[in-house]
Amino acid sequence: MNIIREIEQLRCQVAAAKTAGKAVGLVPTMGALHAGHISLIDRARKECGFVVVSDFVNPTQFNNPEDLRTYPRTEAADCEKMSQSGVDVAFIPSVEEVYPEPDTRVFDLGPVAEVMEGAMRPGHFNGVAQIVSKLFAIVEPDKAYFGEKDFQQIAVIRRMVELEGFNLEIVDCPILREADGLAMSSRNVRLDAAHRAVAPHIHKTLVESLDYAKTHTVAETERFVTENINAVEGLETEYFMIVDALTMQPVDPEAKPDASMVGCVTVYCGDVRLIDNIKY
Ligand code: PAF
């Protein structure tokens, strides 16, 4: 595996792979790699002859400086995992390499980016669009892989791809979970033992809501999830919304949840902000 820190070098390596007739897969990450990331890499490995993984904590998508400061950084362990997973290139640039000057681009992401994470974290999705569009422009991958834990992020990236006219396939990959159901996340390492013990209630409640939703409305199901999560000491729901799975827009509160909808939740588990979702 090649560890590359400079954009020009990355361009050269990718160009050589393309000349050799290889399909290029890109897995964008912010490092602190866990089994969820490895599942994206495995999928890319199966489908593409040349796999690039970016490992970059992108400052422009953090609306909270404390979150940026405490975001786990584990470069050596990441390199070990990427190398063992058969990654061809690990792209680990500095902030100065990616942003030699401030990125002032504002993307017209529209309604998909205005609700939920977009409403709670102003500027977050614009920052995601900035870094992902830069990576797409440099690597020009055939396919790019994203995890469904960040369900809304995938919808926003699809919108950005449409706006910018990138010619590639966005591959969404299922959430990987710990044995007790907690969605894998780089932030899980920040949970202390007591909070780690209660965190699986998030997924447990979402699963219970599938049954509940069969005989209740969207509004009732939203209340069911919020109340059940908040009943657990150490968990505080920021929002739970059942939305259209394509547009991310709120649905008729009196409708019954159905397969066109997804329930997205954000929960403070102590001071760690966790997100998860479930398809109805
Ligand atoms: O999902 C993430 O880890 C990040 O938002 C991404 C897509 C790598 C962009 O920094």
Side-chain angles (χ1 to χ4, degrees):
M1 182 180 81
N2 277 322
I3 298 175
I4 290 182
R5 299 186 190 274
E6 283 164 19
I7 291 171
E8 265 330 295
Q9 250 180 303
L10 177 59
R11 280 192 208 277
C12 287
Q13 296 255 332
V14 171
K18 286 185 181 174
T19 306
K22 293 179 179 171
V24 175
L26 172 68
V27 184
T29 83
M30 297 207 298
L33 300 184
H34 51 67
H37 295 112
I38 306 304
S39 74
L40 305 184
I41 295 171
D42 287 345
R43 174 93 182 258
R45 184 73 288 163
K46 279 203 193 88
E47 298 180 355
C48 304
F50 192 79
V51 175
V52 178
V53 179
S54 62
D55 184 329
F56 177 65
V57 181
N58 172 40
T60 73
Q61 71 186 74
F62 284 82
N63 58 317
N64 175 350
E66 188 58 13
D67 191 23
L68 174 59
R69 194 183 66 77
T70 56
Y71 200 85
R73 288 166 170 85
T74 57
E75 186 183 311
D78 290 349
C79 285
E80 188 61 35
K81 288 177 189 165
M82 287 189 269
S83 169
Q84 278 172 10
S85 310
V87 169
D88 295 289
V89 165
F91 178 52
I92 315 182
S94 65
V95 173
E96 295 70 32
E97 178 69 10
V98 176
Y99 298 113
E101 53 207 51
D103 191 338
T104 54
R105 291 175 298 159
V106 177
F107 291 81
D108 177 19
L109 298 170
V112 85
E114 283 163 11
V115 293
M116 301 192 289
E117 291 303 277
M120 296 298 165
R121 303 180 67 189
H124 166 64
F125 282 133
N126 197 65
V128 170
Q130 287 174 338
I131 184 62
V132 175
S133 64
K134 271 181 188 271
L135 291 168
F136 285 179
I138 298 165
V139 176
E140 297 186 70
D142 297 285
K143 297 186 179 203
Y145 298 80
F146 296 91
E148 284 187 340
K149 185 174 74 66
D150 297 291
F151 198 86
Q152 188 181 7
Q153 173 171 272
I154 300 180
V156 170
I157 289 169
R158 287 189 195 281
R159 164 79 181 155
M160 180 279 289
V161 165
E162 200 179 281
L163 282 174
E164 299 295 297
F166 286 115
N167 178 21
L168 82 170
E169 187 187 334
I170 301 293
V171 183
D172 39 352
C173 303
I175 300 176
L176 246 71
R177 298 186 179 279
E178 303 290 353
D180 58 14
L182 176 63
M184 289 191 184
S185 162
S186 303
R187 290 189 169 86
N188 291 352
V189 297
R190 294 192 46 230
L191 296 169
D192 62 29
H195 286 101
R196 177 62 188 80
V198 294
H201 279 281
I202 302 167
H203 176 61
K204 187 168 169 281
T205 305
L206 293 178
V207 171
E208 285 167 3
S209 82
L210 290 177
D211 238 10
Y212 184 89
K214 286 182 189 149
T215 51
H216 293 84
T217 65
V218 163
E220 288 165 342
T221 308
E222 287 178 340
R223 212 162 31 241
F224 171 88
V225 168
T226 307
E227 287 177 1
N228 275 282
I229 291 176
N230 291 350
V232 178
E233 203 184 317
L235 298 183
E236 189 64 43
T237 308
E238 185 175 55
Y239 64 79
F240 172 66
M241 277 177 79
I242 298 178
V243 296
D244 181 286
L246 292 176
T247 66
M248 300 292 115
Q249 298 310 293
V251 292
D252 176 3
E254 297 312 315
K256 280 255 294 289
D258 66 34
S260 70
M261 303 175 196
V262 60
C264 298
V265 74
T266 295
V267 179
Y268 275 96
C269 187
D271 64 353
V272 184
R273 192 172 180 275
L274 300 177
I275 71 173
D276 204 342
N277 60 73
I278 194 129
K279 293 175 185 170
Y280 285 96

